[in-house]
Amino acid sequence: MAGTVSWDALRDLAGFRAEKGVALSFYLDLDPGTTAPAAARVGSLLSDAARQLDRSDLTHDQRKGLKTDVERIRRYFQEELVRDGAHGLALFASELDNLWRPLALTESVADAVKVNSELYLTPLVPLVGRGEGALVAVVGRERGEIYRLHGGKLERLADRSEEAPGQHDQGGWSQARFQRHIEHLVQEHLQRVADELDRRVRRRSERIVVVSTEETRAAFDDMISKAVRDAVVGWTTAEAHAGPPELLAVATPVLEAWRARAEEQAVERWREEAGRHGRATSGWETTLEAASDGRVELLLYRNGVQRSAWRCPGCGRLAARDGACPLDGTRMERTDEGLDLAVHQTLSNGGTVWAVTTRPDLDPVEGIGALLRY
């Protein structure tokens, strides 16, 4: 089943470094709207990877391992790939280092193939946090369902729906007394749903979209705990008997709006810190230096930006220009993947990364900056 990537998974991938072989990173756009057939693009990408076999810096065993990885990817695409809900594929392989990790993705990615000692991770950064794992709570006078967004679909976690008494249950009660009884039962039902959400939020950090009528929202909002209220990223409405596909359709815009707000807040924090020369960097030189020092809390870059950088082959330190490593004096080596190295350094040291897609604030500073821990 297709899914997205969490920060923990991305940090795990960032920690990989090929010790015996080389790491092959393979990306394929599976969106149905893609013009060229996937099979032809796979062949072209794997041909690019196979050309790396001629590299003079590879040993005989590394060439053999890379050739095995190329053929295994070809077979995987032909015989094993399940496209259910998948719009993109990321696959990481290193035969000699026992790495084989295919990831079917709910979002499309640009075709790419890289062969290096580390994994190419930048295409995954914009996909993190795009709703995967969020809860969708459907709350009504009788309905109380909680879903989790996983692999582009809503999976039901809990059903606290309860049927309220109907008019035929009135018996000898007066209408007013019976109505008060029904309202009391509805309030108890809403509280049980609120308590269920509270248990789940306290068990693990969640983002929540609540689907309800305006009338139910007013009552339910008074019942939820502070932890749940802090986790709610938005409210929306749906038809009374909406199923998972319809619920996902109304929840998705709410999650996208939350993501846009989060991006705006991150950029504003950076602008404020950079403006007063606080804990922030602007541009490649200071950002690469801070990433090498493990000081980056949040790396921000304009989606699509790229430039070359230099890396020390001994300690891995990064720099924006050629020269000797300031730590060990080793001559630094040029690489075209400056952004990906900055992403690796940030993730490996526990930071997070944000690909800015909606604001031009980073354009005047070479498209990159960072918020720092110190």
Side-chain angles (χ1 to χ4, degrees):
M1 176 182 289
T4 57
V5 184
S6 67
W7 285 119
D8 287 342
L10 206 54
R11 291 191 182 98
D12 180 55
L13 292 169
F16 174 83
R17 185 176 179 86
E19 299 292 341
K20 300 176 182 178
V22 289
L24 195 161
S25 302
F26 177 90
Y27 289 88
L28 183 68
D29 186 358
L30 294 175
D31 196 297
T34 305
T35 306
R41 290 182 288 114
V42 168
S44 177
L45 289 168
L46 293 181
S47 293
D48 288 344
R51 280 193 281 273
Q52 300 291 312
L53 294 169
D54 296 330
R55 281 170 40 179
S56 60
D57 61 326
L58 299 186
T59 67
H60 172 76
D61 286 344
Q62 288 173 333
R63 290 190 182 93
K64 185 177 179 181
L66 177 58
K67 185 176 181 179
T68 299
D69 289 332
V70 168
E71 292 307 316
R72 187 174 182 185
I73 292 175
R74 195 186 309 276
R75 290 196 305 273
Y76 177 81
F77 177 77
Q78 295 172 344
E79 303 172 7
E80 301 177 47
L81 175 62
V82 177
R83 299 199 195 188
D84 182 24
H87 288 260
L89 171 68
L91 198 156
F92 306 106
S94 179
E95 167 74 12
L96 298 184
D97 294 280
N98 297 314
L99 175 68
W100 175 259
R101 191 171 302 184
L103 300 172
L105 305 167
T106 57
E107 303 285 337
S108 62
V109 289
D111 293 350
V113 65
K114 304 284 184 181
V115 177
N116 213 321
S117 60
E118 296 169 324
L119 303 176
Y120 179 56
L121 301 179
T122 298
L124 295 180
V125 171
L127 309 188
V128 181
R130 298 190 69 89
E132 182 78 358
L135 299 184
V136 176
V138 189
V139 186
R141 291 173 63 86
E142 297 182 352
R143 195 171 180 182
E145 295 169 305
I146 299 173
Y147 295 86
R148 172 168 284 123
L149 178 55
H150 178 64
K153 299 179 180 179
L154 291 182
E155 299 178 347
R156 183 181 289 170
L157 297 181
D159 189 351
R160 298 291 178 265
S161 301
E162 301 173 71
E163 185 177 355
Q167 193 70 26
H168 62 278
D169 297 322
Q170 181 174 347
W173 291 19
S174 69
Q175 182 63 37
R177 183 184 176 195
F178 181 66
Q179 189 61 38
R180 286 194 299 272
H181 173 64
I182 292 177
E183 291 304 318
H184 176 70
L185 293 178
V186 169
Q187 295 296 307
E188 288 185 332
H189 158 68
L190 293 178
Q191 188 61 62
R192 280 190 281 271
V193 178
D195 292 343
E196 178 66 30
L197 275 176
D198 184 67
R199 283 193 293 272
R200 293 186 178 276
V201 167
R202 292 183 184 280
R203 192 179 308 149
R204 53 181 282 184
S205 178
E206 306 281 9
R207 281 165 291 150
I208 304 171
V209 176
V210 182
V211 182
S212 71
T213 64
E214 288 298 324
E215 179 186 6
T216 302
R217 172 177 177 172
F220 190 65
D221 194 32
D222 289 337
M223 296 180 180
I224 58 178
S225 65
K226 182 180 183 303
V228 172
R229 185 171 289 108
D230 290 344
V232 172
V233 300
W235 301 68
T236 189
T237 60
E239 296 293 330
H241 301 293
E246 294 78 20
L247 294 171
L248 179 58
V250 299
T252 297
V254 177
L255 290 167
E256 289 298 323
W258 168 83
R259 182 178 173 83
R261 292 195 303 272
E263 179 173 306
E264 182 175 357
Q265 292 167 1
V267 173
E268 287 300 326
R269 276 183 61 205
W270 171 78
R271 283 177 57 90
E272 181 181 345
E273 289 289 337
R276 60 185 180 87
H277 303 291
R279 291 186 295 180
T281 64
S282 301
W284 286 93
E285 185 170 354
T286 55
T287 301
L288 291 177
E289 179 183 346
S292 297
D293 291 337
R295 293 187 290 128
V296 173
E297 173 193 337
L298 175 64
L299 178 69
L300 297 163
Y301 68 90
R302 187 186 70 244
N303 198 27
V305 72
Q306 185 57 279
R307 68 161 285 174
S308 58
W310 279 259
R311 177 171 60 172
C312 174
C315 68
R317 188 171 184 82
L318 307 178
R321 54 174 57 93
D322 194 8
C325 176
L327 298 185
D328 59 24
T330 304
R331 188 72 181 183
M332 303 184 90
E333 298 177 345
R334 186 182 182 278
T335 172
D336 292 331
E337 305 298 339
L339 177 60
D340 203 61
L341 292 177
V343 168
H344 269 85
Q345 289 280 18
T346 300
L347 293 172
S348 297
N349 287 289
T352 53
V353 187
W354 196 286
V356 178
T357 60
T358 62
R359 296 184 52 138
D361 304 65
L362 293 168
D363 290 354
V365 294
E366 304 176 290
I368 195 166
L371 284 162
L372 306 178
R373 298 188 178 96
Y374 57 90

